[in-house]
Amino acid sequence: MAGKRDKVTVREATHADYETVMKIASPDTFRDGFDYLPAKFQHYVDDPDTLFYIVEFNGEAVQIWLYICMDGGDVLLKTMRLAPKWHGTGLSRLSKEGEQQLLAKLATYFVQRKKVPKATYAVVEQGRKDVRKLLSNQVYSPFKCKVDVMYFGCDLASLQQQLVEDSMGSLPALVPIQLDNMNQLLQSAFSSTVLARSGGYAFVDWDPYKLNESNMKRFVEWGHHILVDSGKPVAKSLSFGGSYMTPRGRVYHIDVHCTDEMLCKAHIIGQMKHAQNRYTGVITFCIMLVDEELKDAVVDLCVKNLQLNHLPHDHTFALLKYDAPNNLSSKY
């Protein structure tokens, strides 16, 4: 328990903090071992739109807070983690002082950039009561949006054979996104139908973004493989693919935004072919859907047609919105 002479400080993370952060982050257990933080740590430190803070207690790093600046001034709480030895301990003073300093640093950041956050969001697993408890002092309210995530493992050499022999029949044609021609995606009809399922956001590796030309350019720069159907005049589907190493090996995320079963299958097959052409060995596909009614069809495709191993790590995540009167925007 914190005493009168105990000191709590909050500072920005640096590249030299990698090992320190990993000790706090518990990457071997976070998300069942499929943790993105080891692979993305350096990017988060360098990214001017990412706010990465370490909370120290008497000089010992005990907590991390990672925020991402979203479109229109909103803020996404990407992750908050507490060092394992502090789990289940009294954190009242640490939490209070750490939060005060954290809000002060966030305020300084946004004042310097003349941005005022309108709201704070967090993507939280629906069954994680412990996470909701940690956020209880910041009243997040459910936002009408959720995504389903499923994991499938395989050896890419075996997958190559299955993709060649797959007898599903004809699937809708997909094409890689062209930045000079995104009219099919940027029309309101696409947002009001497909993206309506995800609260108007495009989820890319579980993070919500507004679908606009600026963000699409960012996704391409980050190396995402983006597929879209050739529907005219408005597209009916969109997917993002990308890969990184985790403590449990390579993960390739496939984020599918559509409501049509055959289009969904086409996106998954297209993204898997791209992964198979780029990587070798064992891989885990993390497939995210915005339409829960497609889950059974995806399982059938992956398990029955492609003979992938359906891993026991499926989760449903909700996008929560923090819009209480005393939210971040009131700190300026």
Side-chain angles (χ1 to χ4, degrees):
M1 182 70 69
K4 292 183 179 180
R5 297 183 179 180
D6 294 328
K7 184 178 181 182
V8 179
T9 57
V10 178
R11 64 176 178 83
E12 292 186 30
T14 69
H15 290 291
D17 289 314
Y18 178 84
E19 294 298 335
T20 297
V21 169
M22 291 306 113
K23 290 179 181 178
I24 297 174
S26 301
D28 292 333
T29 57
F30 185 77
R31 287 190 176 172
D32 301 316
F34 297 108
D35 190 359
Y36 55 83
L37 193 54
K40 298 187 178 184
F41 173 85
Q42 306 297 346
H43 166 75
Y44 288 144
V45 172
D46 288 334
D47 186 3
D49 290 327
T50 299
L51 311 177
F52 199 166
Y53 298 106
I54 297 176
V55 180
E56 296 181 332
F57 177 68
N58 291 335
E60 176 187 359
V62 298
Q63 195 176 46
I64 59 174
W65 291 82
L66 180 62
Y67 292 89
I68 295 176
C69 298
M70 299 171 62
D71 305 287
D74 295 333
V75 181
L76 173 72
L77 174 56
K78 174 64 176 176
T79 191
M80 183 279 293
R81 307 190 197 179
L82 181 68
K85 79 173 191 178
W86 280 73
H87 292 180
T89 62
L91 290 171
S92 57
R93 183 167 177 264
L94 170 63
S95 298
K96 183 178 180 179
E97 292 195 15
E99 181 183 13
Q100 290 176 343
Q101 292 186 42
L102 183 68
L103 288 174
K105 287 187 175 294
L106 290 172
T108 299
Y109 172 88
F110 286 109
V111 167
Q112 290 175 344
R113 287 154 184 80
K114 298 181 180 180
K115 297 180 179 179
V116 178
K118 299 177 180 178
T120 306
Y121 293 84
V123 179
V124 178
E125 184 182 343
Q126 286 195 327
R128 289 290 300 275
K129 294 181 180 179
D130 57 333
V131 175
R132 290 176 180 268
K133 183 177 181 181
L134 286 171
L135 296 174
S136 61
N137 62 327
Q138 301 180 12
V139 184
Y140 282 83
S141 58
F143 195 58
K144 293 184 178 180
C145 168
K146 67 178 183 179
V147 295
D148 291 289
V149 179
M150 297 179 287
Y151 290 86
F152 300 90
C154 73
D155 185 286
L156 284 170
S158 299
L159 176 64
Q160 180 180 17
Q161 189 65 27
Q162 295 300 326
L163 290 173
V164 170
E165 296 179 354
D166 178 49
S167 58
M168 288 178 49
S170 178
L171 290 173
L174 303 177
V175 294
I177 191 67
Q178 299 295 320
L179 293 180
D180 59 350
N181 183 18
M182 292 190 296
N183 292 334
Q184 295 169 266
L185 292 173
L186 299 183
Q187 296 184 43
S188 59
F190 184 82
S191 296
S192 63
T193 55
V194 177
L195 294 187
R197 301 265 181 158
S198 54
Y201 289 95
F203 278 80
V204 183
D205 194 18
W206 306 14
D207 292 341
Y209 294 90
K210 292 294 185 182
L211 191 61
N212 54 45
E213 186 172 358
S214 175
N215 278 339
M216 292 298 288
K217 289 180 179 179
R218 293 174 67 187
F219 303 148
V220 172
E221 291 172 358
W222 291 345
H224 293 291
H225 184 57
I226 308 173
L227 296 175
V228 63
D229 63 271
S230 55
K232 302 290 184 179
V234 180
K236 298 180 180 179
S237 64
L238 172 69
S239 70
F240 301 90
S243 179
Y244 48 85
M245 293 299 295
T246 75
R248 294 193 59 170
R250 180 170 296 282
V251 162
Y252 188 97
H253 64 86
I254 303 176
D255 315 303
V256 184
H257 299 75
C258 76
T259 59
D260 178 88
E261 179 178 328
M262 296 305 290
L263 279 172
C264 179
K265 291 179 178 180
H267 278 281
I268 292 172
I269 294 294
Q271 292 289 354
M272 286 184 175
K273 287 182 177 179
H274 178 75
Q276 181 267 320
N277 288 331
R278 291 179 60 90
Y279 308 106
T280 59
V282 176
I283 196 168
T284 298
F285 289 105
C286 175
I287 300 178
M288 187 220 73
L289 304 173
V290 299
D291 186 350
E292 64 179 345
E293 295 182 3
L294 296 175
K295 290 173 63 176
D296 290 342
V298 170
V299 172
D300 284 345
L301 168 68
C302 293
V303 177
K304 294 182 180 180
N305 291 79
L306 301 178
Q307 299 182 18
L308 274 61
N309 182 23
H310 189 184
L311 303 176
H313 307 299
D314 295 358
H315 297 296
T316 299
F317 293 85
L319 179 63
L320 306 185
K321 183 179 181 181
Y322 171 37
D323 53 5
N326 61 338
N327 68 0
L328 284 175
S329 62
S330 68
K331 304 298 179 181
Y332 300 90

